Amino acid sequence: MKKTEIDDAVSTEADFLGEIINNGEKSVKCRQKIVDRVRELWELRGAWTNRQQVGLVAILLWCSGPLGRKLQSDPSAWDHLAVIPPDVLSDLQLWVDAVTDNLPAHIDYPGEPIDAIMVTDASQWGWGAIWLNATGESLQLAQMPWGSTLRGADRSTVAEPEAVWRALCRFFRPCDSVRVCILSDHQPFVAAINRGHSAAAGNNGVLARIADRFPRISLRAVFIPGATNPADELSRQRATANALDRARRGVWDVLGATHRLP
């Protein structure tokens, strides 16, 4: 079979659970039917019944605890006029706009090339990070004490995710559209980055900050043992020339001569 025949036989677009996945463009967006339903419900917001309000909220994957309990205890309340606080309505407006704009979102495929690598570590003293581009031609180091800027710095569950956040703020701009691989010895936050969410509220808070400030950055993470983390020394003391040199050499030890990730 010729290559052109193979290309013709491969589907570039698939409809799965209400989402249109485009393998050629590596993007995903909602079906038009879902977009139309959100738009229709939003236009009726001035006269929503509770049933219609919950219908929209369900589409937007949002759960209203107090309202849900009220409707469970009083089934007749489903069709009463909904009382919606202004701040809730403004938040819903942002969500509705995002859904109805329906812009294709980039999909990270396994093994997709990355643009930059960032190694981070944290201690009670402060945080340290190493950045390098995917080719290994450019490398930067950063470190900073917490001082009084972080409550709970003595807990790794607080300090390690914060180190990732501050390193991203140090090395990237909000407008940057890049694929970044983060190397960290904090396994729970590595898993949270790769899943996009966490069972820990603190991790989710940091992920939310990252998503809000860096909407075009795509992250994936790799766990490395603490003993081999080249940013470890940077996070524990004001760096000397020898410490900086050891950090640089440690990056190459972790990544190997080809600068490729495990």
Side-chain angles (χ1 to χ4, degrees):
M1 181 179 287
K2 297 180 180 179
K3 182 179 183 302
T4 54
E5 295 174 327
I6 295 175
D7 291 342
D8 291 340
V10 175
S11 174
T12 60
E13 192 169 277
D15 185 341
F16 182 69
L17 296 179
E19 293 182 335
I20 299 174
I21 302 172
N22 190 309
N23 295 310
E25 298 177 358
K26 295 184 179 178
S27 67
V28 60
K29 64 179 184 178
C30 294
R31 290 179 58 195
Q32 189 60 41
K33 182 178 180 180
I34 293 176
V35 174
D36 292 343
R37 183 57 176 159
V38 169
R39 185 178 289 116
E40 175 188 355
L41 284 170
W42 188 248
E43 291 301 320
L44 296 172
R45 63 188 180 276
W48 272 346
T49 64
N50 284 324
R51 185 184 303 278
Q52 291 168 326
Q53 180 194 6
V54 173
L56 177 68
V57 167
I59 294 175
L60 299 178
L61 300 179
W62 181 77
C63 178
S64 175
L67 179 60
R69 288 192 292 272
K70 174 184 176 182
L71 298 179
Q72 288 175 18
S73 63
D74 181 9
S76 67
W78 279 97
D79 296 306
H80 293 171
L81 188 65
V83 178
I84 309 162
D87 58 333
V88 172
L89 200 62
S90 63
D91 287 343
L92 286 174
Q93 176 73 70
L94 297 174
W95 206 331
V96 167
D97 289 344
V99 172
T100 54
D101 285 346
N102 201 26
L103 299 176
H106 180 76
I107 301 173
D108 281 325
Y109 281 65
E112 189 172 15
I114 60 171
D115 302 306
I117 299 162
M118 196 174 77
V119 188
T120 67
D121 196 27
S123 72
Q124 187 172 349
W125 176 84
W127 62 276
I130 304 168
W131 169 94
L132 68 160
N133 60 6
T135 64
E137 297 170 353
S138 179
L139 183 149
Q140 298 179 41
L141 298 95
Q143 65 167 177
M144 190 68 64
W146 301 121
S148 59
T149 66
L150 182 65
R151 296 181 61 182
D154 57 325
R155 303 196 303 271
S156 63
T157 53
V158 173
E160 295 286 0
E162 185 70 17
V164 173
W165 160 252
R166 298 196 185 193
L168 287 169
C169 292
R170 168 65 178 80
F171 294 125
F172 300 98
R173 301 168 300 174
C175 61
D176 286 340
S177 179
V178 291
R179 296 178 295 260
V180 182
C181 183
I182 296 171
L183 275 63
S184 169
D185 57 20
H186 191 65
Q187 205 154 19
F189 198 57
V190 166
I193 290 172
N194 290 331
R195 287 197 305 259
H197 62 88
S198 170
N203 287 345
N204 283 331
V206 176
L207 291 175
R209 274 189 274 154
I210 292 172
D212 183 60
R213 183 173 175 84
F214 302 103
R216 304 179 66 188
I217 280 184
S218 172
L219 299 180
R220 69 176 184 259
V222 173
F223 172 76
I224 55 173
T228 63
N229 189 335
D232 177 84
E233 191 172 3
L234 297 181
S235 73
R236 297 182 182 280
Q237 62 181 14
R238 184 71 67 182
T240 63
N242 287 339
L244 294 174
D245 183 61
R246 284 192 291 271
R248 290 188 180 94
R249 286 187 283 109
V251 171
W252 307 132
D253 290 341
V254 170
L255 300 180
T258 60
H259 316 312
R260 295 189 181 276
L261 294 171

